[in-house]
PDB file of all heavy atoms in Angstrom:
ATOM      1  N   GLY B  42     -45.503 -23.128  37.854  1.00 95.00           N
ATOM      2  CA  GLY B  42     -45.239 -21.711  37.493  1.00 95.00           C
ATOM      3  C   GLY B  42     -44.073 -21.270  38.326  1.00 95.00           C
ATOM      4  O   GLY B  42     -43.773 -21.873  39.388  1.00 95.00           O
ATOM      5  N   PRO B  43     -43.337 -20.238  37.946  1.00 96.00           N
ATOM      6  CA  PRO B  43     -42.251 -19.722  38.635  1.00 96.00           C
ATOM      7  C   PRO B  43     -42.630 -19.155  40.038  1.00 96.00           C
ATOM      8  O   PRO B  43     -43.797 -18.687  40.234  1.00 96.00           O
ATOM      9  CB  PRO B  43     -41.750 -18.540  37.839  1.00 96.00           C
ATOM     10  CG  PRO B  43     -42.273 -18.864  36.473  1.00 96.00           C
ATOM     11  CD  PRO B  43     -43.617 -19.525  36.655  1.00 96.00           C
ATOM     12  N   GLU B  44     -41.781 -19.384  40.959  1.00 96.00           N
ATOM     13  CA  GLU B  44     -42.039 -18.885  42.427  1.00 96.00           C
ATOM     14  C   GLU B  44     -41.026 -17.827  42.717  1.00 96.00           C
ATOM     15  O   GLU B  44     -39.812 -18.025  42.560  1.00 96.00           O
ATOM     16  CB  GLU B  44     -41.921 -20.052  43.408  1.00 96.00           C
ATOM     17  CG  GLU B  44     -42.940 -21.106  43.158  1.00 96.00           C
ATOM     18  CD  GLU B  44     -42.713 -22.310  44.115  1.00 96.00           C
ATOM     19  OE1 GLU B  44     -41.655 -22.955  43.876  1.00 96.00           O
ATOM     20  OE2 GLU B  44     -43.392 -22.491  45.001  1.00 96.00           O
ATOM     21  N   PHE B  45     -41.490 -16.720  43.344  1.00 95.00           N
ATOM     22  CA  PHE B  45     -40.602 -15.606  43.596  1.00 95.00           C
ATOM     23  C   PHE B  45     -39.623 -15.983  44.724  1.00 95.00           C
ATOM     24  O   PHE B  45     -39.972 -16.580  45.719  1.00 95.00           O
ATOM     25  CB  PHE B  45     -41.478 -14.429  44.027  1.00 95.00           C
ATOM     26  CG  PHE B  45     -40.711 -13.302  44.723  1.00 95.00           C
ATOM     27  CD1 PHE B  45     -40.074 -12.411  43.909  1.00 95.00           C
ATOM     28  CD2 PHE B  45     -40.643 -13.157  46.093  1.00 95.00           C
ATOM     29  CE1 PHE B  45     -39.320 -11.336  44.457  1.00 95.00           C
ATOM     30  CE2 PHE B  45     -39.972 -12.095  46.663  1.00 95.00           C
ATOM     31  CZ  PHE B  45     -39.294 -11.223  45.851  1.00 95.00           C
ATOM     32  N   LEU B  46     -38.358 -15.611  44.479  1.00 96.00           N
ATOM     33  CA  LEU B  46     -37.324 -15.861  45.573  1.00 96.00           C
ATOM     34  C   LEU B  46     -36.890 -14.557  46.185  1.00 96.00           C
ATOM     35  O   LEU B  46     -36.943 -14.452  47.486  1.00 96.00           O
ATOM     36  CB  LEU B  46     -36.136 -16.544  44.900  1.00 96.00           C
ATOM     37  CG  LEU B  46     -36.262 -17.980  44.443  1.00 96.00           C
ATOM     38  CD1 LEU B  46     -34.967 -18.441  43.832  1.00 96.00           C
ATOM     39  CD2 LEU B  46     -36.761 -18.923  45.574  1.00 96.00           C
ATOM     40  N   THR B  47     -36.519 -13.567  45.347  1.00 96.00           N
ATOM     41  CA  THR B  47     -35.938 -12.310  46.002  1.00 96.00           C
ATOM     42  C   THR B  47     -35.874 -11.300  44.916  1.00 96.00           C
ATOM     43  O   THR B  47     -35.967 -11.629  43.726  1.00 96.00           O
ATOM     44  CB  THR B  47     -34.587 -12.559  46.601  1.00 96.00           C
ATOM     45  OG1 THR B  47     -34.172 -11.293  47.280  1.00 96.00           O
ATOM     46  CG2 THR B  47     -33.490 -12.914  45.510  1.00 96.00           C
ATOM     47  N   TYR B  48     -35.837  -9.946  45.283  1.00 95.00           N
ATOM     48  CA  TYR B  48     -35.561  -8.987  44.306  1.00 95.00           C
ATOM     49  C   TYR B  48     -34.767  -7.878  44.904  1.00 95.00           C
ATOM     50  O   TYR B  48     -34.575  -7.700  46.140  1.00 95.00           O
ATOM     51  CB  TYR B  48     -36.826  -8.388  43.771  1.00 95.00           C
ATOM     52  CG  TYR B  48     -37.498  -7.174  44.449  1.00 95.00           C
ATOM     53  CD1 TYR B  48     -37.265  -5.935  44.061  1.00 95.00           C
ATOM     54  CD2 TYR B  48     -38.346  -7.424  45.558  1.00 95.00           C
ATOM     55  CE1 TYR B  48     -37.915  -4.861  44.663  1.00 95.00           C
ATOM     56  CE2 TYR B  48     -38.933  -6.373  46.181  1.00 95.00           C
ATOM     57  CZ  TYR B  48     -38.779  -5.093  45.722  1.00 95.00           C
ATOM     58  OH  TYR B  48     -39.404  -4.103  46.376  1.00 95.00           O
ATOM     59  N   PHE B  49     -34.024  -7.163  44.079  1.00 95.00           N
ATOM     60  CA  PHE B  49     -33.094  -6.039  44.272  1.00 95.00           C
ATOM     61  C   PHE B  49     -33.688  -4.750  43.633  1.00 95.00           C
ATOM     62  O   PHE B  49     -34.140  -4.893  42.476  1.00 95.00           O
ATOM     63  CB  PHE B  49     -31.738  -6.264  43.708  1.00 95.00           C
ATOM     64  CG  PHE B  49     -31.004  -7.438  44.427  1.00 95.00           C
ATOM     65  CD1 PHE B  49     -31.288  -8.761  44.084  1.00 95.00           C
ATOM     66  CD2 PHE B  49     -30.141  -7.183  45.519  1.00 95.00           C
ATOM     67  CE1 PHE B  49     -30.628  -9.810  44.680  1.00 95.00           C
ATOM     68  CE2 PHE B  49     -29.477  -8.195  46.083  1.00 95.00           C
ATOM     69  CZ  PHE B  49     -29.681  -9.512  45.742  1.00 95.00           C
TER      70      PHE B  49
END
Side-chain angles (χ1 to χ4, degrees):
Chain B
E44 297 171 292
F45 170 78
L46 292 178
T47 188
Y48 89 97
F49 293 83

